[in-house]
mmCIF file of all heavy atoms in Angstrom:
data_model
loop_
_atom_site.group_PDB
_atom_site.id
_atom_site.type_symbol
_atom_site.label_atom_id
_atom_site.label_comp_id
_atom_site.label_asym_id
_atom_site.label_seq_id
_atom_site.Cartn_x
_atom_site.Cartn_y
_atom_site.Cartn_z
ATOM 1 N N LEU A 210 -112.751 -128.136 14.780
ATOM 2 C CA LEU A 210 -112.453 -129.520 15.130
ATOM 3 C C LEU A 210 -111.726 -130.171 13.977
ATOM 4 O O LEU A 210 -112.192 -130.151 12.829
ATOM 5 C CB LEU A 210 -113.747 -130.285 15.434
ATOM 6 C CG LEU A 210 -114.602 -129.742 16.598
ATOM 7 C CD1 LEU A 210 -115.926 -130.483 16.682
ATOM 8 C CD2 LEU A 210 -113.850 -129.850 17.912
ATOM 9 N N THR A 211 -110.563 -130.732 14.272
ATOM 10 C CA THR A 211 -109.782 -131.443 13.254
ATOM 11 C C THR A 211 -109.267 -132.738 13.871
ATOM 12 O O THR A 211 -108.915 -132.789 15.054
ATOM 13 C CB THR A 211 -108.592 -130.603 12.771
ATOM 14 O OG1 THR A 211 -107.800 -130.227 13.893
ATOM 15 C CG2 THR A 211 -109.070 -129.356 12.055
ATOM 16 N N ALA A 212 -109.244 -133.783 13.043
ATOM 17 C CA ALA A 212 -108.726 -135.071 13.508
ATOM 18 C C ALA A 212 -107.217 -135.003 13.626
ATOM 19 O O ALA A 212 -106.526 -134.468 12.753
ATOM 20 C CB ALA A 212 -109.144 -136.179 12.552
ATOM 21 N N ALA A 213 -106.713 -135.497 14.751
ATOM 22 C CA ALA A 213 -105.265 -135.509 14.965
ATOM 23 C C ALA A 213 -104.630 -136.555 14.065
ATOM 24 O O ALA A 213 -105.176 -137.646 13.852
ATOM 25 C CB ALA A 213 -104.960 -135.792 16.423
ATOM 26 N N ARG A 214 -103.464 -136.220 13.547
ATOM 27 C CA ARG A 214 -102.745 -137.134 12.667
ATOM 28 C C ARG A 214 -101.727 -137.917 13.475
ATOM 29 O O ARG A 214 -101.131 -137.400 14.410
ATOM 30 C CB ARG A 214 -102.064 -136.368 11.542
ATOM 31 C CG ARG A 214 -103.054 -135.677 10.604
ATOM 32 C CD ARG A 214 -102.340 -135.027 9.435
ATOM 33 N NE ARG A 214 -103.291 -134.425 8.514
ATOM 34 C CZ ARG A 214 -103.895 -135.089 7.529
ATOM 35 N NH1 ARG A 214 -103.607 -136.372 7.331
ATOM 36 N NH2 ARG A 214 -104.748 -134.481 6.730
ATOM 37 N N GLU A 215 -101.558 -139.135 13.095
ATOM 38 C CA GLU A 215 -100.618 -139.997 13.798
ATOM 39 C C GLU A 215 -99.191 -139.472 13.630
ATOM 40 O O GLU A 215 -98.799 -139.013 12.568
ATOM 41 C CB GLU A 215 -100.699 -141.428 13.256
ATOM 42 C CG GLU A 215 -102.000 -142.130 13.561
ATOM 43 C CD GLU A 215 -102.029 -143.557 13.028
ATOM 44 O OE1 GLU A 215 -101.147 -143.886 12.216
ATOM 45 O OE2 GLU A 215 -102.897 -144.307 13.441
ATOM 46 N N GLY A 216 -98.430 -139.561 14.731
ATOM 47 C CA GLY A 216 -97.026 -139.174 14.679
ATOM 48 C C GLY A 216 -96.782 -137.696 14.887
ATOM 49 O O GLY A 216 -95.624 -137.279 14.998
ATOM 50 N N GLN A 217 -97.860 -136.896 14.934
ATOM 51 C CA GLN A 217 -97.677 -135.457 15.144
ATOM 52 C C GLN A 217 -97.871 -135.124 16.622
ATOM 53 O O GLN A 217 -98.764 -135.672 17.275
ATOM 54 C CB GLN A 217 -98.668 -134.650 14.304
ATOM 55 C CG GLN A 217 -98.403 -134.755 12.808
ATOM 56 C CD GLN A 217 -99.340 -133.861 12.003
ATOM 57 O OE1 GLN A 217 -100.285 -133.298 12.556
ATOM 58 N NE2 GLN A 217 -99.079 -133.760 10.707
ATOM 59 N N PRO A 218 -97.052 -134.194 17.178
ATOM 60 C CA PRO A 218 -97.211 -133.848 18.594
ATOM 61 C C PRO A 218 -98.539 -133.132 18.850
ATOM 62 O O PRO A 218 -99.071 -132.435 17.984
ATOM 63 C CB PRO A 218 -96.016 -132.925 18.865
ATOM 64 C CG PRO A 218 -95.664 -132.354 17.528
ATOM 65 C CD PRO A 218 -95.977 -133.430 16.515
ATOM 66 N N ALA A 219 -99.038 -133.342 20.034
ATOM 67 C CA ALA A 219 -100.302 -132.707 20.404
ATOM 68 C C ALA A 219 -100.110 -131.201 20.515
ATOM 69 O O ALA A 219 -99.169 -130.744 21.173
ATOM 70 C CB ALA A 219 -100.815 -133.275 21.718
ATOM 71 N N PRO A 220 -100.948 -130.400 19.886
ATOM 72 C CA PRO A 220 -100.798 -128.931 19.975
ATOM 73 C C PRO A 220 -101.153 -128.431 21.375
ATOM 74 O O PRO A 220 -101.811 -129.108 22.158
ATOM 75 C CB PRO A 220 -101.791 -128.428 18.917
ATOM 76 C CG PRO A 220 -102.807 -129.512 18.801
ATOM 77 C CD PRO A 220 -102.081 -130.797 19.050
ATOM 78 N N ARG A 221 -100.687 -127.215 21.697
ATOM 79 C CA ARG A 221 -100.942 -126.603 22.995
ATOM 80 C C ARG A 221 -101.607 -125.240 22.819
ATOM 81 O O ARG A 221 -101.513 -124.605 21.769
ATOM 82 C CB ARG A 221 -99.641 -126.437 23.785
ATOM 83 C CG ARG A 221 -98.956 -127.752 24.128
ATOM 84 C CD ARG A 221 -97.697 -127.501 24.936
ATOM 85 N NE ARG A 221 -97.039 -128.750 25.299
ATOM 86 C CZ ARG A 221 -95.920 -128.824 26.005
ATOM 87 N NH1 ARG A 221 -95.338 -127.702 26.421
ATOM 88 N NH2 ARG A 221 -95.380 -129.988 26.303
ATOM 89 N N SER A 222 -102.257 -124.807 23.892
ATOM 90 C CA SER A 222 -102.913 -123.503 23.865
ATOM 91 C C SER A 222 -101.859 -122.400 23.852
ATOM 92 O O SER A 222 -100.774 -122.538 24.411
ATOM 93 C CB SER A 222 -103.818 -123.322 25.086
ATOM 94 O OG SER A 222 -104.856 -124.289 25.084
ATOM 95 N N GLY A 223 -102.201 -121.282 23.230
ATOM 96 C CA GLY A 223 -101.312 -120.128 23.166
ATOM 97 C C GLY A 223 -102.102 -118.847 23.219
ATOM 98 O O GLY A 223 -103.287 -118.821 23.567
ATOM 99 N N GLU A 224 -101.404 -117.744 22.886
ATOM 100 C CA GLU A 224 -102.070 -116.444 22.902
ATOM 101 C C GLU A 224 -103.110 -116.336 21.803
ATOM 102 O O GLU A 224 -104.080 -115.596 21.936
ATOM 103 C CB GLU A 224 -101.030 -115.323 22.740
ATOM 104 C CG GLU A 224 -100.097 -115.167 23.919
ATOM 105 C CD GLU A 224 -100.841 -114.706 25.157
ATOM 106 O OE1 GLU A 224 -101.850 -113.997 25.012
ATOM 107 O OE2 GLU A 224 -100.413 -115.068 26.270
ATOM 108 N N ALA A 225 -102.911 -117.082 20.703
ATOM 109 C CA ALA A 225 -103.820 -116.947 19.571
ATOM 110 C C ALA A 225 -105.085 -117.773 19.736
ATOM 111 O O ALA A 225 -106.155 -117.377 19.267
ATOM 112 C CB ALA A 225 -103.115 -117.341 18.269
ATOM 113 N N GLU A 226 -104.987 -118.950 20.382
ATOM 114 C CA GLU A 226 -106.162 -119.806 20.478
ATOM 115 C C GLU A 226 -106.051 -120.732 21.682
ATOM 116 O O GLU A 226 -104.968 -120.950 22.233
ATOM 117 C CB GLU A 226 -106.323 -120.629 19.201
ATOM 118 C CG GLU A 226 -105.120 -121.489 18.865
ATOM 119 C CD GLU A 226 -105.278 -122.232 17.555
ATOM 120 O OE1 GLU A 226 -106.306 -122.017 16.899
ATOM 121 O OE2 GLU A 226 -104.380 -123.006 17.195
ATOM 122 N N VAL A 227 -107.214 -121.256 22.062
ATOM 123 C CA VAL A 227 -107.318 -122.253 23.121
ATOM 124 C C VAL A 227 -107.444 -123.618 22.456
ATOM 125 O O VAL A 227 -108.306 -123.818 21.585
ATOM 126 C CB VAL A 227 -108.544 -121.987 24.024
ATOM 127 C CG1 VAL A 227 -108.652 -123.049 25.103
ATOM 128 C CG2 VAL A 227 -108.447 -120.604 24.645
ATOM 129 N N VAL A 228 -106.600 -124.551 22.851
ATOM 130 C CA VAL A 228 -106.527 -125.854 22.187
ATOM 131 C C VAL A 228 -106.725 -126.957 23.223
ATOM 132 O O VAL A 228 -106.177 -126.872 24.336
ATOM 133 C CB VAL A 228 -105.183 -126.039 21.451
ATOM 134 C CG1 VAL A 228 -105.115 -127.417 20.791
ATOM 135 C CG2 VAL A 228 -104.993 -124.940 20.419
ATOM 136 N N ARG A 229 -107.495 -127.983 22.832
ATOM 137 C CA ARG A 229 -107.650 -129.157 23.685
ATOM 138 C C ARG A 229 -107.790 -130.384 22.787
ATOM 139 O O ARG A 229 -108.452 -130.326 21.739
ATOM 140 C CB ARG A 229 -108.877 -129.041 24.582
ATOM 141 C CG ARG A 229 -108.944 -130.158 25.638
ATOM 142 C CD ARG A 229 -110.307 -130.248 26.267
ATOM 143 N NE ARG A 229 -110.702 -129.023 26.932
ATOM 144 C CZ ARG A 229 -111.898 -128.863 27.494
ATOM 145 N NH1 ARG A 229 -112.788 -129.860 27.443
ATOM 146 N NH2 ARG A 229 -112.228 -127.732 28.078
ATOM 147 N N VAL A 230 -107.169 -131.470 23.202
ATOM 148 C CA VAL A 230 -107.258 -132.728 22.469
ATOM 149 C C VAL A 230 -108.389 -133.561 23.082
ATOM 150 O O VAL A 230 -108.382 -133.827 24.291
ATOM 151 C CB VAL A 230 -105.925 -133.503 22.510
ATOM 152 C CG1 VAL A 230 -106.065 -134.841 21.778
ATOM 153 C CG2 VAL A 230 -104.813 -132.669 21.877
ATOM 154 N N LEU A 231 -109.343 -133.976 22.238
ATOM 155 C CA LEU A 231 -110.503 -134.743 22.687
ATOM 156 C C LEU A 231 -110.309 -136.218 22.343
ATOM 157 O O LEU A 231 -109.848 -136.554 21.245
ATOM 158 C CB LEU A 231 -111.774 -134.217 22.016
ATOM 159 C CG LEU A 231 -112.034 -132.700 22.125
ATOM 160 C CD1 LEU A 231 -113.333 -132.330 21.405
ATOM 161 C CD2 LEU A 231 -112.086 -132.271 23.584
#
Side-chain angles (χ1 to χ4, degrees):
L210 300 173
T211 55
R214 295 185 177 274
E215 292 181 347
Q217 292 184 351
R221 297 181 179 180
S222 298
E224 292 294 330
E226 57 183 3
V227 179
V228 179
R229 189 195 300 176
V230 178
L231 308 180

